Structures are given as C-alpha cells and as structure tokens.
Amino acid sequence: MYRRELITTAGLSSLALAGCLSRRPSQSLGDIDCTPETTDGSGSEAPQPKSVSGSWHSFQYDLGNTGFNPDADGPSDCPDLLWRFRVDPEEPATEVNYSILTGPIVHDGVVYTRDNKGKLYALNATSGSVEWTFDIPRWNIYGPTYDDDTLYVTADQYLVAIDSESRRERWTLTPSVLGPHPMGDDRDWMYAEVAARDGRVFVGTADNTFCAIDTTTRTPLWQVDLPQLASSLIEESSDVDIQGQPVIHDDIVAVALSAGYLLLLDVDTGDVVWTHGISGYIVAAPSIRDETVYIVGSDGIQALSLTDGSVKWTYGSDDHVSCSPAITDDVVVGVAGSSFGNRMLVGIDTRTGARRWEVPAATDLSAAPSIAGGTVVMGLTNGLLAVDLATGDQRWQAQTNNISGSPALVDDVVIAGDRDGYVYAFR
C-alpha cells in the first residue's frame, strides 16, 4: 500500500477549521506546486492557446455520476494557469458576497457555472472570457445540467430550462405541475441537481416527491411519493430527503435517501425495481459503472450488484466516508475523514474493495474527486490536488481559495470554481 504526504501550508490545519484560508506569502492564486521530478508551473510562461472542445455535462461528468472522463487526456504532470475569471470584479470576493457553489460543466468549448446570487455564466473554455450570462433571480440554485442544447437549473420553487444556443429561457416549471399534494399541503422547492436524458428530466422536490418530467409537454410522466414509499421500508420514515443527484443507467434511475435507503426505479414507469438499506445514513449521491452501484454511507462505501442489489463488497473504516466517489474500471477513489473534516483520499480496488493507496491531507478535501488520463484531481479548502491514479503519488497542487464542487476535466484542462467567486482553468 502506498502512503504519501501532501505539500501543505504551515498552520493551515487550525486556520481551516476556523473558516480561514492560508497560503505561502510567495504564492498567489493560480500558482502550482509540482513534485520534485517536474518543473514548478508557478511563474512559467503561459501555455499556447489551443481550442478546448471536450464535454463534462453534469455533476461528476456523466449520468452514472462516475467522475471519470475516459475521453480526456487529463492534465500534465505540471500544468500552468490557462486563465482565471472572477464573477464580479467590482465587488469584494468573499463567501458572503459572490461565490461559486457548484462544480462547472462544459460543452462544445463553453464552461457553464453559476454564482450564489442567481447568475449563470457561459465562459469561453479556452480564454475564460464571458460569452453570455443569464439571470435567475432566485436563491438556492442547483446545477446546471446539460442535455440536448438545454441547460437545466433548479432554483427555489422552479425548474428552469435555458436554450444554450439562443441563450434564452425555454420554460419554467413550479412544483404545482405535479398536481395536488397527497397530504393537501403546498409543494415546496425543487431540490438538488437534476438528471436529464432523452427529453426527460428527473427531479425531486423538497417535500420528497420524485418525478420524471416530459420536456416537450412539461408534464410529469410519473411521480413517486417518497415518504409513502419509505413508510413500508423504514419505521421512522420522516427523514427521507433525496441525497444528491439521481443516476440514470439504461432502463433504471437510482435515487438515494438520506435515511439510509437506495431506490432503483423503472425509468419509464417509476415502479420500484429493488431497494437496499444500510444501518446508517447515505451521505452522497449514488454512482453506477459496469453493472455496479456504489453508495456512500455513514459507515463506508458499498458496491452493489445492479441486477438485484446484493452486496459485492463494503469499504469501511473508523474514519467517516463522505462525498461521492470517482470510478474507473479498476479503482474507486473516495474521500474519508472524521468529525473534524475530510482528510483522506483513498484508492479502492473495484473488484475486491481492498484499499490500494491512501493520501492523508492537512486540510479538508472539499468535494467529490474527478479522474482523467490516469490523474485524480480533488478540491481542497485551499486549492486543487492532483495524484497518480495507480499509486496515489502526488503530481501537483494548485493554489486557489476553497474549491466548490467537483473539478471538470476536459481534454488536458482542469476547470474549477471556488467560494470566493473565481473560476480557474489549468493546462
């Protein structure tokens, strides 16, 4: 087993717990620390611009939430800062004012991200320049997710569809489209990122109705009352919040409930295919790859058979496991920690569940990892960390502020946003 220490900033551990960030005085945002075997990217000449054309369409890349882009080359061993964008340069960049709160998505040379004030940005992926913006005057915004020239964003009581070509709103739906609530109450917010495929959007509401919506007719194809369904599964079924983005694979859609249950539903009817419960809570969105479903619970990561939900293996430890993993053919990369924060990146064998390597950190790992070209890229509270997928050896670390969401890996470029309103691209 490999164990590698990270390059860290002196005193960072205690400062991070207080919500503060620290960096070496000689560093600035976008600087790179590389391993001794490579050249330090900080201060080197900027790379020659070449078109960025790859795609990263949703949270953790694809409909399976795998976090793995097999079509990307991945970043070099020591990349340079390609560009840096600030969402509102006229305002102080703090977590209270303008923040990037979700990972970016990318399509056809355009980066889509949004800030915490309700503005969606379309940035040129090669230069970082603004191509267009779209105002969503609401709070609690999730997304975006891309499918068939449409960006889907959930915001408060609305599901918003935006045409990526015309740059205009196609339509907006509220939970009232689902009809009267079974309990006679008004429905609450749309909840979390959506999954979209073949003219259907799968979304949950904050009152825990989960539904499939036809994007042409804008009406529900089916809907499931999760509390009612959970009452047959869980004795105390009040805590049935949807945990993260749903997953689509072939003819099923998977939904995780925080109370500790995974539901596999028929994508066409909403009928239950199978359910699986764990002893604790589910803490992140599920993932599916190669006929295996992965769930992250309060007591570890489980790999389940997609066919019947039987357990293939469980990776458990005394450390709390959090965030959705990233998954390749051979390795599952997860985030572990403790009640003090997420402080460990672990590589797990997909077949056996045995740990291959671990990377301890002196600062929190802030989101789900991403993988491309044999490199794992992970957001930190003070930057980005890149390690070798096979060994866990550190390749480089980039200086940023607190990274939000999973980095997008397209072509040979890493794109990520932070909570101080910056978006970065490294090549």
Side-chain angles (χ1 to χ4, degrees), residues 7 24 27 31-35 40-42 78 394-399:
I7 298 173
R24 283 188 289 274
Q27 284 192 313
D31 280 355
I32 303 285
D33 284 328
C34 299
T35 57
D40 189 345
S42 59
C78 192
Q394 179 173 322
R395 291 187 169 176
W396 51 266
Q397 186 169 335
Q399 181 68 50

Side-chain angles (χ1 to χ4, degrees), residues 5 46 60 66 156 166 179 185 196 231 276 306 331-332 339 362 379 399 401:
E5 295 294 335
Q60 285 204 281
T66 66
D156 289 349
S166 69
D185 300 322
S231 65
H276 176 79
L306 181 61
V331 183
V332 176
S339 59
Q399 181 68 50
N401 294 314

Side-chain angles (χ1 to χ4, degrees), residues 94-384:
T94 69
E95 293 191 28
V96 177
N97 292 317
Y98 287 87
S99 298
I100 301 295
L101 296 181
T102 58
I105 66 170
V106 186
H107 176 75
D108 197 22
V110 181
V111 177
Y112 299 98
T113 190
R114 59 90 180 172
D115 64 25
N116 64 328
K117 296 298 182 69
K119 179 170 286 189
L120 178 71
Y121 296 85
L123 309 177
N124 185 289
T126 305
S127 66
S129 60
V130 178
E131 297 201 349
W132 54 274
T133 63
F134 186 93
D135 288 316
I136 305 171
R138 296 141 192 152
W139 297 82
N140 300 296
I141 301 173
Y142 297 91
T145 296
Y146 178 92
D147 182 60
D148 193 23
D149 295 330
T150 305
L151 299 164
Y152 296 99
V153 179
T154 51
D156 289 349
Q157 297 181 0
Y158 304 91
L159 171 62
V160 184
I162 304 163
D163 189 306
S164 63
E165 298 296 324
S166 69
R167 309 173 182 182
R168 296 182 178 182
E169 181 178 314
R170 285 186 169 176
W171 45 258
T172 296
L173 298 180
T174 68
S176 62
V177 70
L178 304 180
H181 189 277
M183 302 301 293
D185 300 322
D186 291 335
R187 279 189 166 82
D188 206 343
W189 300 339
M190 295 291 186
Y191 183 76
E193 287 88 351
V194 304
R197 188 187 73 177
D198 299 335
R200 287 177 286 186
V201 174
F202 300 85
V203 63
T205 67
D207 69 355
N208 296 313
T209 299
F210 184 75
C211 62
I213 296 176
D214 186 302
T215 60
T216 301
T217 64
R218 309 174 198 175
T219 57
L221 297 167
W222 51 261
Q223 55 185 298
V224 176
D225 187 299
L226 295 178
Q228 184 178 28
L229 176 60
S231 65
S232 63
L233 303 173
I234 311 167
E235 291 185 5
E236 297 292 336
S237 60
S238 58
D239 188 10
V240 292
D241 292 342
I242 298 170
Q243 189 60 264
Q245 183 172 357
V247 175
I248 305 173
H249 181 84
D250 294 339
D251 57 354
I252 62 97
V253 56
V255 184
L257 306 182
S258 58
Y261 266 84
L262 178 73
L263 309 178
L264 256 70
L265 309 176
D266 186 284
V267 77
D268 295 318
T269 66
D271 294 337
V272 176
V273 177
W274 55 258
T275 65
H276 176 79
I278 63 173
S279 58
Y281 290 93
I282 292 179
V283 298
S287 304
I288 299 178
R289 182 173 174 80
D290 293 338
E291 304 303 311
T292 301
V293 185
Y294 298 88
I295 56 174
V296 180
S298 52
D299 54 358
I301 299 174
Q302 280 193 346
L304 312 174
S305 167
L306 181 61
T307 303
D308 57 10
S310 58
V311 178
K312 293 184 175 182
W313 52 259
T314 299
Y315 175 84
S317 70
D318 295 334
D319 293 325
H320 174 70
V321 178
S322 63
C323 302
S324 299
I327 306 152
T328 70
D329 291 340
D330 302 315
V331 183
V332 176
V333 180
V335 176
S338 67
S339 59
F340 296 101
N342 306 317
R343 298 297 179 85
M344 187 80 71
L345 192 65
V346 293
I348 305 164
D349 190 285
T350 58
R351 287 170 289 276
T352 66
R355 184 170 58 191
R356 289 187 170 190
W357 49 260
E358 62 181 19
V359 180
T363 181
D364 284 355
L365 307 173
S366 59
S370 303
I371 302 173
T375 300
V376 181
V377 182
M378 182 75 210
L380 308 173
T381 53
N382 70 329
L384 288 166

Side-chain angles (χ1 to χ4, degrees), residues 86-93 98:
R86 185 175 169 189
V87 295
D88 193 333
E90 302 302 321
E91 292 289 336
Y98 287 87

